[in-house]
Amino acid sequence: MAKVDGALLASAVSGDRTATDRLLGMLHPVVLRYCRARLGDRHYRDGDADDCAQEVLLGVLGALPGYRYGAARFPNFVQAVAAHKVVDAYRHRGDDVSVPVPEFPPAPSELPEPHRHVEVLELRRRVRLLLDLLVPAQRDIVVLRVMVGLTAEETADELGVASSGAVRVSQHRALTALRRHLTAAEVR
């Protein structure tokens, strides 16, 4: 997430509704990308990532009146709220064994579309397994850089890393480790 304007944040913290709306409007796309990258956009149930992003924004909104750490630390604060809400979403997935549907699914189609859907689900499963091989810091960097599309500078700000160079080095090491794992898996 890019840096937040200090005046806008101060106005939102003081209760200015227009400033709060603008701030949440700026946060929404970034938070949604983060939640989709961590939860998948259709991996478990339609709307899980959207619901999680909404919970993140509600959490930020509820905490705004007491926020006192300045604009420089605000992106880290939002990322921390998002990380906690993602964990809550995973917990909820484990507790909820029902999958409510508004109607019965249509009869199986002869078109290749269902096969494509299965391929996408399998690809997501494999990506999650690969990401689980990384240490959490490297996994967060790969998710933010590759899946969410943040720059090295934005990723450093989000994660509180000292420099964008450190982000690039960690990303390189993570991708090298993944490449090494994939090459070893091909040999077997």
Side-chain angles (χ1 to χ4, degrees):
M1 183 175 106
K3 294 204 184 292
V4 174
D5 176 36
L8 176 66
L9 179 60
S11 295
V13 167
S14 70
D16 181 344
R17 190 176 188 130
T18 304
T20 302
D21 289 345
R22 282 187 52 214
L23 181 64
L24 293 178
M26 288 172 41
L27 293 175
H28 182 262
V30 175
V31 167
L32 184 58
R33 279 195 319 257
Y34 177 83
C35 292
R36 282 184 176 160
R38 298 305 299 254
L39 294 170
D41 55 353
R42 294 188 180 273
H43 180 68
Y44 185 74
R45 269 197 323 253
D46 288 345
D48 272 2
D50 296 320
D51 291 346
C52 185
Q54 182 177 357
E55 288 297 320
V56 171
L57 294 177
L58 286 172
V60 169
L61 179 64
L64 268 179
Y67 184 78
R68 302 283 182 259
Y69 302 105
R73 293 179 64 187
F74 189 72
N76 294 337
F77 166 73
V78 173
Q79 198 273 334
V81 171
H84 288 287
K85 295 299 181 181
V86 164
V87 169
D88 289 345
Y90 274 111
R91 278 192 200 117
H92 179 70
R93 281 181 178 179
D95 293 341
D96 185 10
V97 294
S98 67
V99 182
V101 295
E103 58 190 48
F104 289 108
S109 170
E110 297 297 323
L111 300 174
E113 185 60 28
H115 297 309
R116 177 69 182 132
H117 180 70
V118 170
E119 288 173 359
V120 169
L121 290 176
E122 177 60 18
L123 177 63
R124 286 184 182 158
R125 185 189 69 79
R126 291 179 66 200
V127 167
R128 289 208 188 287
L129 289 173
L130 286 171
L131 287 174
D132 287 343
L133 296 172
L134 299 174
V135 296
Q138 287 180 334
R139 181 174 45 243
D140 288 343
I141 287 173
V142 169
V143 166
L144 291 175
R145 291 279 287 141
V146 177
M147 300 172 94
V148 176
L150 297 183
T151 65
E153 293 78 16
E154 291 169 336
T155 302
D157 288 342
E158 283 290 321
L159 299 177
V161 176
S163 70
S164 60
V167 167
R168 288 185 191 96
V169 167
S170 186
Q171 177 185 351
H172 173 75
R173 289 179 179 157
L175 294 177
T176 300
L178 291 176
R179 215 174 280 115
R180 193 171 30 249
H181 177 76
L182 287 171
T183 302
E186 288 175 3
V187 171
R188 289 183 211 161

